[in-house]
Amino acid sequence: MKKTILIVMLGLSITASAQNPIIQTHYTADPAPMVKGDTLFVYADVDEPKADFFWMYQWRVYSTIDMVNWTDHGELLGLNSFSWADDRAWATQCCERDGKYYWYICAHSKLSGGMAIGVAVSDSPTGPFKDAIGHPLYDDGKWDNIDPTVLMDGKNAYLVWGNPEIHQAKLADNMTSFDGEVSIIRQDEKSFGAPSPAFRKRGMKYKDIYVEGPWLAKRNKNYYLLYSAGGVPEHIAYSMSRKPQGPWIYKGIVMPQENETNSFTNHCGIIDFKGHSYFFYHTGNLPGGGGFDRSIAVEEFKYNKDGTIPAILPTREGVKPTGTLNPFQKTEASTIAWEKGLTTEQSLRTGVYVTDIQNGDWMKVREVNFSSQPQKISISAASASQGGTIELHADSINGKMIATINIPSTGGWENFCNFSANTLIPVTGVHDLFFVFHGQKGRKLMNFSWWEMEKQERDDEEK
């Protein structure tokens, strides 16, 4: 992503409380959250800058343990991961079964000329993933086969997808084939607000219309099917059932089409994490953003007493933190709450790192818990130019300076070296930490891989 996309925060609040969009280093869309232990992962597709259609080629994964700092794990799947795919890496979802992770994707099939459903597998939520079967899981040559959503329900797994029809199937135990036939869910006014496309009457105003982007979920004894609805522009609506494959009852609009989203599409995912319920969606609210350059956001909500979902409106503030970050363990530089001017790249040697760093750029890490006084900070950086400096500030880009680290040329953009500096002032408690970059104006300064602090040593008397 070019610097011109993100260097100016047009229309965005950059106060300490701003959190949406949660990812600013890439345009991301169609969020699919998944929880494993104390970590929430979001699987996303990626919009190419300045696109005039949904020309998309990769899928990325992000994770958080506190809901405000997000770690970029990089491009873990791309169109080249599937020999049968040649275009349109659209919405996906990943789930776990018996220690393996199954990532259901959709892409344009060069075998049939339509959209198709595929599946990749890994032993880890962050890969490496590979095509599980070497061919599409479902490919009938039609354009309906987009936006797969998967639900693990005890020992059973279900897959739902489609635009404008809703397809459903039970997955076999191997998760890479179907247990039975693929069927099409019959839509009517009671279940989705309108009949199936073939039975809709021209000029008739229906309560609602299913479009695409289904999200299948379960909470307590209720099953939920959320989806993009209403046509263009889209809002998010939902239906409920007592069974994973229906019958469904239409319940209403969750997120109305709002000017604040700046996107004519929307796509959601809901999940519970650390005692909170979260609604993920996308907007067009990054600089240069819009309907083809989208950005993931998240809101917290509470279910109504009867299990229904309340109306949820988009905000710039986002959600509150659920934990703190430990500065005394190695932290990937791609773990970011907010930033200006940066993007990320990856390599086999280094993994994911922050790049495109120029004079005046900065990044923020939230809720850093200085449980002890830091004595030193170490970082890994690389530069093929004359380098620059990294200043660490507490609570704002102009806050008290904790440390400053000089980064010289390391002889190459991939030649990462370790640098360290002692802290300048005492700091304890929980603070936001700002990394502010300085150097020659108008040129790339460095790449940034990771950072870690060391606690201040105490002599025996102080102990």
Side-chain angles (χ1 to χ4, degrees):
M1 183 179 292
K2 300 297 184 184
K3 178 162 296 281
T4 52
I5 295 171
L6 299 180
I7 193 167
V8 181
M9 293 313 208
L10 296 176
L12 288 178
S13 168
I14 43 177
T15 65
S17 61
Q19 193 62 38
N20 279 329
I22 60 174
I23 308 299
Q24 307 99 43
T25 50
H26 293 272
Y27 290 127
T28 54
D30 304 327
M34 183 191 76
V35 170
K36 176 62 177 177
D38 64 353
T39 304
L40 188 150
F41 297 88
V42 171
Y43 296 76
D45 35 77
V46 178
D47 286 335
E48 294 298 316
K50 300 181 180 179
D52 58 359
F53 186 63
F54 304 110
W55 308 119
M56 303 158 75
Y57 309 106
Q58 61 166 297
W59 296 279
R60 301 183 77 87
V61 177
Y62 299 86
S63 71
T64 185
I65 59 172
D66 55 28
M67 291 304 297
V68 291
N69 297 302
W70 292 88
T71 301
D72 185 350
H73 297 280
E75 177 183 338
L76 298 187
L77 277 179
L79 288 173
N80 59 356
S81 303
F82 302 91
S83 61
W84 51 268
D86 61 5
D87 202 357
R88 306 180 193 189
W90 289 357
T92 69
Q93 189 180 348
C94 185
C95 73
E96 180 191 7
R97 181 167 191 165
D98 298 331
K100 289 189 177 294
Y101 296 85
Y102 297 90
W103 193 350
Y104 297 89
I105 65 99
C106 67
H108 185 262
S109 170
K110 60 187 177 184
L111 304 177
S112 68
M115 293 295 291
I117 305 297
V119 57
V121 65
S122 175
D123 294 326
S124 164
T126 56
F129 283 89
K130 64 178 182 179
D131 188 347
I133 50 180
H135 57 81
L137 173 62
Y138 189 81
D139 184 4
D140 62 1
K142 297 180 180 178
W143 290 90
D144 294 33
N145 305 315
I146 67 169
D147 302 350
T149 177
V150 60
L151 172 66
M152 282 299 306
D153 184 22
K155 295 182 179 180
N156 298 316
Y158 301 91
L159 198 67
V160 174
W161 69 91
N163 171 353
E165 298 285 5
I166 311 171
H167 297 68
Q168 67 177 1
K170 183 180 179 183
L171 287 161
D173 291 346
N174 61 16
M175 301 293 282
T176 59
S177 61
F178 295 124
D179 181 5
E181 298 296 320
V182 173
S183 62
I184 294 179
I185 299 176
R186 180 181 176 182
Q187 302 175 45
D188 57 34
E189 294 183 64
K190 181 180 179 181
S191 58
F192 295 97
S196 297
F199 299 98
R200 294 173 194 163
K201 296 179 181 178
R202 181 174 295 181
M204 175 73 74
K205 185 172 179 60
Y206 293 105
K207 184 171 17 179
D208 214 336
I209 297 176
Y210 169 90
V211 178
E212 59 187 356
W215 181 268
L216 186 61
K218 182 185 181 183
R219 190 174 189 270
N220 299 327
K221 295 182 179 180
N222 295 316
Y223 294 86
Y224 301 84
L225 189 60
L226 292 84
Y227 43 88
S228 306
V232 176
E234 295 175 343
H235 57 259
I236 301 295
Y238 79 113
S239 301
M240 288 178 65
S241 177
R242 286 289 185 170
K243 297 180 180 179
Q245 294 185 305
W248 297 99
I249 298 175
Y250 176 80
K251 290 295 181 179
I253 294 174
V254 177
M255 178 170 280
Q257 222 305 323
E258 293 274 338
N259 291 335
E260 285 79 3
T261 62
N262 193 32
S263 172
F264 58 83
T265 67
N266 206 342
H267 186 116
C268 76
I270 58 172
I271 203 160
D272 286 352
F273 179 58
K274 294 187 175 180
H276 302 265
S277 298
Y278 295 104
F279 177 89
F280 288 82
Y281 62 105
H282 67 230
T283 74
N285 283 336
L286 283 182
F292 299 124
D293 294 293
R294 297 160 294 176
S295 46
I296 291 173
V298 61
E299 309 293 344
E300 184 177 354
F301 73 98
K302 292 184 178 180
Y303 288 87
N304 298 320
K305 290 183 179 180
D306 61 358
T308 56
I309 301 174
I312 302 169
L313 297 179
T315 71
R316 297 296 172 88
E317 291 75 21
V319 302
K320 296 179 180 179
T322 61
T324 58
L325 186 142
N326 180 5
F328 303 113
Q329 63 184 17
K330 184 180 288 187
T331 300
E332 297 298 320
S334 64
T335 300
I336 300 171
W338 200 265
E339 56 79 22
K340 170 186 170 289
L342 310 176
T343 187
T344 60
E345 293 181 359
Q346 67 195 86
S347 68
L348 289 175
R349 177 182 175 186
T350 305
V352 180
Y353 55 86
V354 173
T355 188
D356 205 17
I357 299 171
Q358 295 190 21
N359 180 63
D361 291 346
W362 55 265
M363 54 179 271
K364 176 176 72 171
V365 182
R366 285 189 60 181
E367 309 298 316
V368 180
N369 186 6
F370 294 97
S371 57
S372 297
Q373 169 63 35
Q375 176 175 279
K376 184 172 73 172
I377 179 169
S378 298
I379 73 161
S380 175
S383 178
S385 67
Q386 293 184 21
T389 61
I390 304 176
E391 296 177 355
L392 273 71
H393 294 262
D395 300 319
S396 74
I397 58 174
N398 297 313
K400 292 182 178 180
M401 189 183 297
I402 299 173
T404 181
I405 306 151
N406 294 315
I407 310 298
S409 173
T410 63
W413 296 118
E414 285 284 331
N415 189 22
F416 283 88
C417 298
N418 296 345
F419 304 93
S420 64
N422 291 330
T423 55
L424 303 174
I425 61 170
V427 55
T428 56
V430 178
H431 297 270
D432 292 345
L433 187 61
F434 285 75
F435 294 79
V436 184
F437 305 96
H438 294 290
Q440 293 176 326
K441 295 181 179 179
R443 71 184 312 198
K444 179 178 174 178
L445 303 177
M446 67 189 78
N447 292 331
F448 182 18
S449 178
W450 56 261
W451 63 274
E452 182 177 16
M453 289 187 171
E454 293 182 17
K455 297 180 181 179
Q456 186 178 62
E457 296 180 0
R458 297 181 178 180
D459 57 31
D460 292 337
E461 226 176 276
E462 290 175 320
K463 291 179 181 177

